[in-house]
Amino acid sequence: MNVMTAKQSARLFTSANWVMMLAIVGALMAAQWKHQAVPLAILVLLLVFTVIKARLIILDFMGLRAARPAMAIALWSWPTLFSFASLGRALGSYWFG
């Protein structure tokens, strides 16, 4: 049975605060455009927030910071891939109408 050290506990608490702050700020930004399309710059910022939150959750909450870096990279690549896909779709509709 693993016991969490004080350093790991502090890191987890800090990560939890960052995840909550990024989620709240992202929700507030997205709520500014209730019935309209979100501007492209805000969409990019929301996608960056999503990838950062996913990284914090994978590394700290799933405990993959030092234990299994290959698994962490594989898990982190999924939200990154889907963020690029949604950005590509937004850019395509912006450029091609």
Side-chain angles (χ1 to χ4, degrees):
M1 184 158 118
N2 293 338
V3 177
M4 186 178 287
T5 64
K7 183 178 180 180
Q8 290 171 331
S9 178
R11 180 181 292 266
L12 188 63
F13 183 73
T14 303
S15 291
N17 286 332
W18 273 104
V19 168
M20 286 188 293
M21 186 216 35
L22 289 171
I24 290 169
V25 168
L28 288 173
M29 284 191 318
Q32 298 299 315
W33 293 273
K34 291 178 183 166
H35 301 289
Q36 302 163 346
V38 176
L40 194 58
I42 300 300
L43 177 66
V44 170
L45 192 58
L46 290 174
L47 292 174
V48 168
F49 283 177
T50 302
V51 171
I52 291 171
K53 287 186 300 186
R55 184 177 184 274
L56 288 172
I57 289 170
I58 290 166
L59 293 180
D60 292 328
F61 292 99
M62 294 178 75
L64 297 175
R65 184 168 289 279
R68 299 177 67 181
M71 178 66 82
I73 291 170
L75 287 172
W76 187 59
S77 66
W78 276 105
T80 305
L81 173 74
F82 286 114
S83 292
F84 280 128
S86 62
L87 180 62
R89 182 173 180 189
L91 285 174
S93 67
Y94 179 74
W95 285 332
F96 301 118

